[in-house]
């Protein structure tokens, strides 16, 4: 079912429509919609603060948060970039030059701060000491359990009360250090509260009340994306939002498909229902054909058995009366039996 995004600022809407597929990286299209929509909804609700991301690569998800920011808000990009010796698990390889080109191409503005550093060094560098200032903090850096715990702790101490923390690859089977680190963080008394799961990312709030507020905001902004509500996770209740073909609504009133979902977005509800009915009919026909084939096989087996049963006395009688004929026939019969067995 085609879904509509909330109304998005023009740069953000344009990036989703035509730019998302141009930036290399690993980001589900629907997740890009959710990130962009949440950022816009926060500003609309008057939540103040900056945005930040650990782990930039070429800026695919960072641009969902950094476009159209007010002049008094900053977008902070944290990555080791060319210092790959600090990329302990080789999870991605950021390129600062390409990232800065993408910022310029899609109009991120002059309010982007780039911190070239490992997240493990941020506290020592005074990053945490600056205090709470981020309304969205995205974590997509190192994927070991230790780094995940470290990054969650940094986000916990720098995000504002109404802010959100976004943890990437939480259910990625190739990077199980992330889910291990999440449960370690929660088990050790971490104060962030899981609220919403979108494709490949978990969104956490600063308290149980704020998690409820986050879930309510998602329900309002993305009613067509909800797949399952009140799912238990680590002692909390979360809502699960899935992948949809989206039409992006801009402030100019236009609704156009998200890059990568153009084909699905053009299928009307009536046409989709027709295709689903055709699929059900085809499956029913296949089931009928399979049942008919099974009956035919059983009939063939019964016929073969009848033929064998009928042939046995004739063969024995011929062997008694015409032994000189039975001897050369035996190898032929053995071959016939072998062929019959292979054909069953």
């Amino acid at each position: 079912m085609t879904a509509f995004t909330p109304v998005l600022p023009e740069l953000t809407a344009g990036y989703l429509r035509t730019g998302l597929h141009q930036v290399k990286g690993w980001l589900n299209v629907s997740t890009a919609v959710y990130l962009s929509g949440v950022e816009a909804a926060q500003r609309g609700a008057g939540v103040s603060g900056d945005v930040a991301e650990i782990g930039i690569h070429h800026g695919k998800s960072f641009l969902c948060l950094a476009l159209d920011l007010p002049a008094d808000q900053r977008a902070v990009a944290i990555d080791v970039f060319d210092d790959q010796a600090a990329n302990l698990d080789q999870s991605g390889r950021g390129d600062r030059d390409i990232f800065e080109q993408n910022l310029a191409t899609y109009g991120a503005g002059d309010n982007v701060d780039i911190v070239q550093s490992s997240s493990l060094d941020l506290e020592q560098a005074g990053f945490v000491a600056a205090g709470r200032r981020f309304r969205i903090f995205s974590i997509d850096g190192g994927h070991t359990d230790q780094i995940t715990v470290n990054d969650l702790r940094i986000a916990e101490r720098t995000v504002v009360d109404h802010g959100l923390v976004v943890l990437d690859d939480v259910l990625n089977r190739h990077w199980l250090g992330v889910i291990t680190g999440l449960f370690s963080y929660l088990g050790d008394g971490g104060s962030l509260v899981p609220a919403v799961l979108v494709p490949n990312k978990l969104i956490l709030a600063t308290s149980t009340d704020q998690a409820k507020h986050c879930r309510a905001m998602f329900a309002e902004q993305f009613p067509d994306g909800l797949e399952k509500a009140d799912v238990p996770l680590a002692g909390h209740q979360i809502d699960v939002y899935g992948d949809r073909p989206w039409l992006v609504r801009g402030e100019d009133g236009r609704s156009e498909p998200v890059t990568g979902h153009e084909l699905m977005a053009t299928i009307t509800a009536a046409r989709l229902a027709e295709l689903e009915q055709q699929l059900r009919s085809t499956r029913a026909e296949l089931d009928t054909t399979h049942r008919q084939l099974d009956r035919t096989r059983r009939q063939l087996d019964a016929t073969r058995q009848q033929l064998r049963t009928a042939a046995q006395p004739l063969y024995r009688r011929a062997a008694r009366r015409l032994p000189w004929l039975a001897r050369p026939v035996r190898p032929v019969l053995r071959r016939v039996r072998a062929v019959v067995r292979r054909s069953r």
Side-chain angles (χ1 to χ4, degrees), residues 65-116:
L65 305 176
L67 295 175
D68 295 297
L69 288 181
D72 62 342
Q73 294 184 10
R74 310 295 298 175
V76 180
I78 305 162
D79 198 294
V80 298
F81 291 115
D82 295 335
D83 185 14
Q84 287 300 301
N87 185 6
L88 300 181
D89 60 352
Q90 299 301 302
S91 54
R93 187 182 182 91
D95 189 304
R96 182 164 179 164
D97 290 338
I98 295 176
F99 172 55
E100 291 181 347
Q101 290 171 13
N102 288 331
L103 292 178
T105 298
Y106 299 105
D110 299 325
N111 53 348
V112 174
D113 299 329
I114 298 177
V115 179
Q116 185 161 334

Side-chain angles (χ1 to χ4, degrees), residues 102-181:
N102 288 331
L103 292 178
T105 298
Y106 299 105
D110 299 325
N111 53 348
V112 174
D113 299 329
I114 298 177
V115 179
Q116 185 161 334
S117 170
S118 166
S119 62
L120 296 174
D121 300 328
L122 289 177
E123 183 166 7
Q124 184 178 356
F127 185 87
V128 175
R132 297 181 178 274
R133 57 202 185 276
F134 299 113
R135 56 185 175 90
I136 299 180
F137 199 123
S138 174
I139 298 173
D140 189 13
H143 284 42
T144 69
D145 54 344
Q146 296 92 342
I147 295 176
T148 299
V149 171
N150 173 82
D151 294 355
L152 286 168
R153 290 290 185 190
I154 289 173
E156 172 191 284
R157 296 162 65 185
T158 58
V159 73
V160 299
D161 289 340
H162 292 80
L164 298 173
V165 175
V166 183
L167 180 62
D168 185 65
D169 281 328
V170 69
L171 296 180
N172 190 326
R173 67 185 185 276
H174 298 293
W175 299 105
L176 295 178
V178 177
I179 189 70
T180 303

Side-chain angles (χ1 to χ4, degrees), residues 8-324:
L8 299 174
E10 282 309 298
L11 287 179
T12 301
Y15 172 64
L16 291 177
R17 290 167 178 161
T18 62
L20 189 64
H21 74 290
Q22 301 286 352
V23 179
K24 290 185 178 180
W26 304 271
L27 181 64
N28 180 277
V29 173
S30 290
T31 300
V33 168
Y34 293 131
L35 291 179
S36 299
V38 165
E39 189 281 320
Q42 272 192 336
R43 279 192 282 126
V47 180
S48 61
D50 300 333
V51 299
E53 183 169 69
I54 295 174
I56 300 301
H57 194 60
H58 294 176
K60 196 177 187 76
S61 61
F62 182 82
L63 284 164
C64 294
L65 305 176
L67 295 175
D68 295 297
L69 288 181
D72 62 342
Q73 294 184 10
R74 310 295 298 175
V76 180
I78 305 162
D79 198 294
V80 298
F81 291 115
D82 295 335
D83 185 14
Q84 287 300 301
N87 185 6
L88 300 181
D89 60 352
Q90 299 301 302
S91 54
R93 187 182 182 91
D95 189 304
R96 182 164 179 164
D97 290 338
I98 295 176
F99 172 55
E100 291 181 347
Q101 290 171 13
N102 288 331
L103 292 178
T105 298
Y106 299 105
D110 299 325
N111 53 348
V112 174
D113 299 329
I114 298 177
V115 179
Q116 185 161 334
S117 170
S118 166
S119 62
L120 296 174
D121 300 328
L122 289 177
E123 183 166 7
Q124 184 178 356
F127 185 87
V128 175
R132 297 181 178 274
R133 57 202 185 276
F134 299 113
R135 56 185 175 90
I136 299 180
F137 199 123
S138 174
I139 298 173
D140 189 13
H143 284 42
T144 69
D145 54 344
Q146 296 92 342
I147 295 176
T148 299
V149 171
N150 173 82
D151 294 355
L152 286 168
R153 290 290 185 190
I154 289 173
E156 172 191 284
R157 296 162 65 185
T158 58
V159 73
V160 299
D161 289 340
H162 292 80
L164 298 173
V165 175
V166 183
L167 180 62
D168 185 65
D169 281 328
V170 69
L171 296 180
N172 190 326
R173 67 185 185 276
H174 298 293
W175 299 105
L176 295 178
V178 177
I179 189 70
T180 303
L182 171 66
F183 282 109
S184 294
Y185 164 81
L186 294 174
D188 290 341
S191 64
L192 296 174
V193 177
V196 171
L197 182 70
V198 300
N200 212 37
K201 292 183 186 287
L202 178 67
I203 299 177
L204 304 99
T206 56
S207 67
T208 301
D209 287 342
Q210 290 303 317
K212 293 178 181 177
H213 177 76
C214 175
R215 294 169 65 188
M217 177 178 64
F218 263 79
E220 179 182 357
Q221 299 293 323
F222 310 105
D224 296 326
L226 180 65
E227 288 188 340
K228 192 171 183 180
D230 300 322
V231 178
L233 176 66
H236 303 281
Q237 298 290 317
I238 69 170
D239 294 337
V240 178
Y241 284 74
D243 197 7
R244 297 286 186 273
W246 295 92
L247 287 175
V248 179
R249 294 192 294 172
E251 292 176 339
D252 60 358
R254 292 186 296 119
S255 295
E256 297 179 0
V258 173
T259 299
H261 284 221
E262 291 87 350
L263 178 61
M264 285 298 295
T266 60
I267 299 178
T268 65
R271 176 57 177 159
L272 186 59
E274 180 184 347
L275 292 173
E276 289 173 345
Q277 180 59 44
Q278 290 176 1
L279 180 60
R280 285 193 292 267
S281 299
T282 302
R283 285 173 175 167
E285 292 173 0
L286 285 173
D287 290 340
T288 301
T289 301
H290 289 157
R291 287 193 294 270
Q292 292 173 346
L293 286 173
D294 288 339
R295 285 197 297 269
T296 301
R297 289 192 187 98
R298 288 194 295 270
Q299 292 170 356
L300 284 173
D301 289 341
T303 301
R304 290 191 186 102
Q305 184 60 42
Q306 291 170 359
L307 289 173
R308 284 194 294 269
T309 302
Q312 285 297 330
L314 294 175
Y315 173 75
R316 293 192 189 98
R317 192 177 304 132
R320 286 194 302 270
R321 295 182 179 181
L322 303 168
W324 57 271

